[in-house]
Amino acid sequence: MALTAIPVGFVAGLFGIGGGLITVPFLYYIFNQLGVDPQYVMHLAVGTSFAIIIPTSTVSVMTHHKFKAVDFEIVKSYGLFVVSGVVAGTIFAASLKTKALVLFFSVIIFLLSFYLLLLKEKEQSVIKEIKLSLKIIFGFIVGFLSAPMGIGGAIMNVPILKFFGYSINKAIGSAAAIGFLIALFGAGGFLISGSYLKTNLPLSIGFLNVPAFLIFIPITTFMARIGAKTVHKIDKSKISKFFGIFLLIIASKFLYEYFKL
């Protein structure tokens, strides 16, 4: 579990994703091996992932901010609608079975990976104003989809911000900040829903596993700082493609797991 935390933290800082895309699959396998109730194993992985993202994304955002790569105006004006989606998505996730949750995770990641791989980089980024109606629609959808997946939403927010003219670095930094809000409300939602359902999972509070949280946090926060510094040294034209390939691998692995269930 400790070894898993190293790539989770690094990739979290590198892509501003909070680490959920790696954390959820690994926690899913670990909890499966430990004999956690199959009905709730994916829920526990997702809830614990959100709890881990909170401090990890905090370190990532602070590092990106040093490179002036976080737009706090978009975080404030867009984040409110993202949070509303997270609340609704958490309620939705609690009603899903593990197999449905795995398929949902896979399909969304596949779509986003293809978008990033096919995306053409512009030589000069010009930020366009995002209308309030679009902030409401995109924000709610991103929050709603992030909740069942246990992610910070950057896999959707980075492409969205890039579409509106943000550079890849600024899109990643701002998405990491929005991810903090998603994780905070997502963790709270899974803690409450797990407690309400009286799951009584071992060493857990609701759908948050305490030992996994304590093991991951010191390692992921340290590695997130390194990852966030690294992204500002990489050729901008290549970062989106690296991100797309990364998502494609994760989606393929989870789809394989779906057919095994």
Side-chain angles (χ1 to χ4, degrees), residues 54-64 220-222 224-226 228:
I54 295 171
T56 305
S57 62
T58 301
V59 171
S60 177
V61 171
M62 289 171 64
T63 307
H64 283 296
T220 54
T221 50
F222 174 76
R225 189 176 291 109
I226 297 175

Side-chain angles (χ1 to χ4, degrees), residues 14-140:
L14 189 68
F15 293 134
I17 61 173
L21 283 170
I22 306 179
T23 310
V24 171
F26 274 106
L27 290 178
Y28 175 81
Y29 299 138
I30 291 167
F31 294 150
N32 247 331
Q33 293 297 316
L34 294 174
V36 171
D37 184 347
Q39 184 181 356
Y40 295 123
V41 65
M42 186 63 172
H43 300 73
L44 188 62
V46 169
T48 305
S49 172
F50 273 136
I52 293 167
I53 289 173
I54 295 171
T56 305
S57 62
T58 301
V59 171
S60 177
V61 171
M62 289 171 64
T63 307
H64 283 296
H65 182 51
K66 288 179 181 178
F67 289 91
K68 298 181 180 179
V70 182
D71 183 348
F72 285 106
E73 285 303 314
I74 193 67
V75 174
K76 288 187 287 184
S77 62
Y78 176 64
L80 174 65
F81 307 112
V82 174
V83 167
S84 66
V86 172
V87 173
T90 301
I91 296 170
F92 170 68
S95 66
L96 290 177
K97 301 295 183 185
T98 284
K99 189 170 183 178
L101 211 50
V102 170
L103 181 61
F104 182 87
F105 190 101
S106 304
V107 172
I108 297 299
I109 303 301
F110 263 123
L111 293 174
L112 291 164
S113 67
F114 290 135
Y115 171 79
L116 284 173
L117 287 171
L118 297 173
L119 181 69
K120 289 186 178 180
E121 291 291 329
K122 298 176 183 176
E123 286 187 18
Q124 191 172 7
S125 298
V126 179
I127 299 176
K128 308 169 194 171
E129 184 182 352
I130 307 176
K131 294 180 181 178
L132 178 62
S133 58
L134 292 179
K135 287 180 183 178
I136 294 171
I137 294 168
F138 285 133
F140 185 84

